[in-house]
């Protein structure tokens, strides 16, 4: 138990569906991340939210839409996905003071997404 | 473009061996380097390094950072089968962007 909870753990969706992945952290952190992990590829950074503001959008297609309503919750809205989007989606959080200190990432267990 | 490279990409050793995993990086605005262990699911944190030349240790694992040569090593002594995993190196840059390398897959055989 890392203090970062992701739901659902598994999701199967068609290319025309709309679904959302949810992440919640109970660690009092103020930075949250979405990563994509595909087979035989490095962890790919998708989005970073720092104090609820998006500070990184790593050229992610618009069919992935993040939402960070507060510093404890992060969503990834999915629509009209492609089969190549099938992967493990990992959420992480860390503590930062926005200046000179930034701590390690704590990961959730991931949401395994399959797009048919 | 920011980049993290790890070597070797895979490694098979016998129990009791000592292994050294390598991580090199080219990034702008370096803040820290992190090592993680990933077995079946979420990566678990091992070390965070911010200063050159200061070794961090945790049991049989140790790590050190060289900010001049832009690399880090992770050492595991007296390896056990439970050390089998993918070891990930990551670099944190400004605005808390964290970039991961491809990982080193370590298999420890009895």
């Amino acid at each position: 138990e890392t203090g970062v909870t992701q739901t659902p753990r598994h999701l199967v969706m068609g290319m025309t569906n709309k679904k959302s992945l949810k992440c919640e952290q109970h660690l009092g952190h103020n930075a949250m991340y979405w990563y994509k992990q595909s087979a035989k590829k490095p962890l790919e950074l998708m989005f970073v939210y720092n104090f609820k503001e998006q500070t990184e959008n790593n050229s992610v297609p618009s069919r992935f839409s993040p939402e960070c309503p507060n510093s404890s919750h992060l969503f990834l809205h999915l629509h009209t996905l492609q089969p190549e989007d099938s992967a493990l989606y990992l959420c992480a959080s860390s503590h930062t003071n926005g200046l000179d200190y930034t701590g390690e990432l704590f990961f959730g267990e991931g949401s395994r997404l399959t797009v048919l | 473009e920011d980049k993290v490279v790890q070597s070797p990409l895979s490694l098979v050793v016998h129990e009791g061996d000592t292994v050294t995993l390598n991580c090199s990086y080219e990034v702008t605005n370096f803040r820290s380097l992190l090592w993680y262990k990933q077995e079946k699911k979420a990566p678990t944190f091992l070390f965070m390094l911010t200063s050159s030349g200061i070794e961090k240790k945790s049991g049989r694992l140790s790590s050190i950072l060289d900010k001049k040569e832009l690399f880090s090593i992770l050492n595991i002594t007296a390896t056990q089968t439970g050390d089998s995993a993918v070891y990930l190196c990551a670099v944190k840059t400004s605005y808390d962007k964290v970039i991961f390398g491809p990982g080193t897959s370590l298999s420890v055989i009895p």
Side-chain angles (χ1 to χ4, degrees), chain A residues 9-39:
Chain A
R9 297 290 302 278
H10 298 273
L11 178 63
V12 179
M13 58 188 288
M15 290 192 283
T16 57
N17 291 158
K18 285 186 181 181
K19 298 283 185 184
S20 296
L21 306 181
K22 179 183 175 183
C23 177
E24 183 174 0
Q25 57 96 1
H26 310 277
L27 301 168
H29 290 165
N30 42 33
M32 295 187 77
Y33 304 74
W34 279 117
Y35 282 89
K36 176 183 178 183
Q37 190 170 39
S38 307

Side-chain angles (χ1 to χ4, degrees), chain B residues 10-48:
Chain B
S10 66
L11 190 56
V12 180
V13 301
H14 290 278
E15 267 191 317
D17 288 350
T18 293
V19 298
T20 298
L21 310 183
N22 304 291
C23 176
S24 62
Y25 60 91
E26 288 179 35
V27 301
T28 52
N29 300 311
F30 173 91
R31 294 183 77 177
S32 61
L33 186 142
L34 306 110
W35 284 98
Y36 284 84
K37 177 182 182 182
Q38 186 173 25
E39 295 175 87
K40 296 218 186 286
K41 292 176 184 170
T44 54
F45 173 74
L46 296 175
F47 299 110
M48 183 168 75

